[in-house]
Amino acid sequence: MEIARRDLILSAAALSLTSTGWAAGRGDRPLGYAIVGLGTYGLNVIIPQFANCAHSRLAAVVSGDPAKAQRVAAEHKLPARSIYSYETFDSIRNNPDVDIVYVCLPNSMHAEYTIRAAKAGKHVMCEKPMAISVAECEAMIAACKQANRKLMIGYRCHFEPFNLEAMRLAKTGAAGKIRYVRTEHGFVQRSPEAWRLKRALAGGGSLMDMGVYSLQAARYMTGEEPIAVTARESTDRRDPRFTEVEDMIEWTLEFPSGAIAGCQSMYSANQNHILLMGDTGRIELEPATRYDGNHMWTGKDGREREITPPPGPAKTQFAGQLDHLVQCIRSGREPIVSGEEGLRDMRIVEAIYRSAREGRTIRLDGRA
C-alpha cells in the first residue's frame, strides 16, 4: 500500500463517514442492504450495526433457512417481499429497496454471490477474504465493472479508531524509520465440524481467516507493498480439526524500504497483536483488531505511553464500513478497500501457500 494510498485511507475515513456528512444534510434516504447469509457474523454482528449507521439500513435478508429468514425479517419489520432464498436470490434485481448486497457467506461462495449481485444491478460489500483464488477475485472485479457497480471488501479495521491512529502515527514518523512489524492473529477452533475447517468451503485454514488480519496489518502499518515472502506451516495432521486445512502458518514479508514483517496465523491458540518497531520507537496494539476493547501504546523501547485515539470516524467500525460504501456510491469515489485491495491480498496469500509448499522464498515483484 503506497504512501499516497494510505493518505487516502485516513482522509476518506475522516471526511466521508461523519454522521453530519453532505448526504445526511441533503436528506438523502439511507441506502438499503441485503444481508446474504444469516450465520453468526451476518446475523449477530452486522445486522445489529444498522442502528449505528447514518446512511445505511437493512432492506432484505437472504438465507437457506426459511424459518430463520422469516423470524429476522419480522424482528426488523421487513415485508415478505424482502425475504430471499439462495434459489430466488437473482430476483432481488426487482427490489428497488435493495441498493447493496452484503455477502456474509463461506469463502468459497463469495465469488458466485458477488457476481450474481452485480448482474442483478446491485453494489456489493463482500466479507474477507475476498475469495479463494486470484482468478475468482479477478472475475468479481470484472463483473462489478461490467455492471458499473461498486465492490468493497469488509476490511473493518480501516474504520477502527486504534488502527487508524496507528496508521497515522506510523506515517508521521512517531517511531522513526520503520524497520520491523510483528503481527499475529489466531483463536482456538473448537469443533472439527466448523465450516472454516472444510477446504471446500474455506479454501484453506487459518491463513484464509485470521491470516488476513496479519497480512493487512503488515501492509497498512508499513505503507508499502511486499516484494518477497518466505513461509512455513506447522500443522498436526493427527488432530481431527486439521485433516483438510492448516493450523499455524508463519511468513516473513520483505519491503522495498528494507523493512521486514513477521506474520502469523493460527487456529490452535489465541493471539491478537500488532507491533511496529522503528529506529526511534515503537507502536504496539494488543488486542489490536477485535470488535471492541483494543489497546495501544507507544514508547522508545516498551509500553511507556498508552494512547487513546480520537473517536470515530463513525459510532462503530462496522457502521463506518457500511456507511463508507454508501458515501462512495453517492460520490462516485472508489472505496478505500475496494476489490483491487482484496485482489492484492489474495495474490500474496497464494504466494504464502506456495512458499510454504515449496520451501523457498517467492518474489512478488516479478524478479527471479
Side-chain angles (χ1 to χ4, degrees):
M1 188 184 305
E2 63 276 8
I3 294 297
R5 189 170 182 281
R6 186 164 59 188
D7 288 341
L8 174 63
I9 287 177
L10 298 175
S11 61
L15 296 176
S16 71
L17 292 174
T18 60
S19 60
T20 57
W22 65 272
R26 267 183 19 193
D28 290 350
R29 71 172 179 88
L31 296 192
Y33 275 84
I35 302 301
V36 185
L38 298 180
T40 300
Y41 192 75
L43 180 59
N44 298 330
V45 178
I46 295 301
I47 286 179
Q49 290 297 324
F50 288 106
N52 295 315
C53 290
H55 309 296
S56 312
R57 65 187 179 91
L58 179 65
V61 292
V62 184
S63 175
D65 185 335
K68 180 189 285 188
Q70 291 168 9
R71 174 177 59 80
V72 174
E75 289 173 354
H76 295 274
K77 298 180 174 57
L78 298 178
R81 69 175 185 276
S82 295
I83 302 172
Y84 297 88
S85 67
Y86 298 126
E87 291 74 23
T88 64
F89 173 75
D90 297 320
S91 64
I92 206 167
R93 72 174 64 250
N94 301 317
N95 189 341
D97 291 336
V98 175
D99 303 285
I100 306 164
V101 165
Y102 195 151
V103 180
C104 297
L105 294 167
N107 305 341
S108 65
M109 303 172 74
H110 288 184
E112 176 187 350
Y113 281 86
T114 293
I115 292 168
R116 288 171 69 179
K119 288 181 177 178
K122 308 302 180 181
H123 303 280
V124 182
M125 177 86 75
C126 181
E127 253 315 299
K128 63 85 187 162
M130 182 175 172
I132 61 172
S133 70
V134 167
E136 284 192 349
C137 293
E138 291 173 338
M140 294 160 72
I141 292 170
C144 291
K145 284 184 176 178
Q146 183 175 2
N148 195 27
R149 302 292 90 180
K150 299 292 185 188
L151 172 59
M152 177 172 161
I153 310 305
Y155 289 136
R156 58 182 174 80
C157 293
H158 289 263
F159 306 91
E160 195 279 323
F162 285 88
N163 284 263
L164 284 173
E165 181 66 3
M167 292 182 216
R168 188 192 70 80
L169 289 171
K171 175 182 180 295
T172 56
K177 180 178 175 60
I178 297 168
R179 303 303 301 137
Y180 181 68
V181 174
R182 181 72 193 170
T183 174
E184 307 130 329
H185 288 79
F187 69 97
V188 179
Q189 279 279 12
R190 300 291 181 185
S191 172
E193 302 307 313
W195 71 260
R196 292 188 182 278
L197 299 177
K198 307 300 179 184
R199 182 168 294 277
L201 293 174
S206 70
L207 178 57
M208 293 291 285
D209 181 11
M210 302 307 288
V212 175
Y213 292 107
S214 292
L215 176 55
Q216 274 278 298
R219 294 177 57 230
Y220 62 64
M221 290 298 288
T222 61
E224 295 186 85
E225 293 298 334
I227 57 175
V229 60
T230 307
R232 182 174 67 92
E233 178 192 335
S234 178
T235 302
D236 182 358
R237 295 297 178 183
R238 298 168 298 178
D239 190 319
R241 295 173 297 174
F242 305 121
T243 58
E244 297 185 29
V245 300
E246 80 279 355
D247 171 18
M248 185 164 59
I249 190 164
E250 59 182 353
W251 65 99
T252 300
L253 297 173
E254 302 171 35
F255 293 94
S257 67
I260 297 292
C263 309
Q264 192 172 64
S265 66
M266 66 210 81
Y267 269 163
S268 57
N270 294 312
Q271 181 62 292
N272 194 298
H273 184 221
I274 299 171
L275 172 63
L276 178 147
M277 288 178 277
D279 60 2
T280 62
R282 300 159 38 119
I283 302 167
E284 185 172 9
L285 298 91
E286 188 175 20
T289 59
R290 288 184 181 169
Y291 296 169
D292 53 36
N294 296 320
H295 292 278
M296 179 165 57
W297 298 265
T298 60
K300 183 177 180 180
D301 54 15
R303 295 180 174 182
E304 297 164 16
R305 177 176 172 233
E306 186 163 6
I307 301 297
T308 300
K315 288 184 178 179
T316 68
Q317 58 188 298
F318 305 98
Q321 174 182 288
L322 292 164
D323 277 348
H324 177 68
L325 180 52
V326 173
Q327 297 287 59
C328 289
I329 291 167
R330 288 174 170 164
S331 68
R333 296 194 309 270
E334 277 301 293
I336 59 175
V337 280
S338 65
E340 283 76 9
E341 177 71 356
L343 172 60
R344 280 187 281 269
D345 272 351
M346 188 50 56
R347 285 179 173 144
I348 301 169
V349 165
E350 288 193 353
I352 293 168
Y353 278 130
R354 182 183 173 195
S355 175
R357 185 173 61 250
E358 298 179 4
R360 66 185 183 91
T361 296
I362 303 298
R363 301 292 305 188
L364 300 167
D365 56 1
R367 293 169 53 189

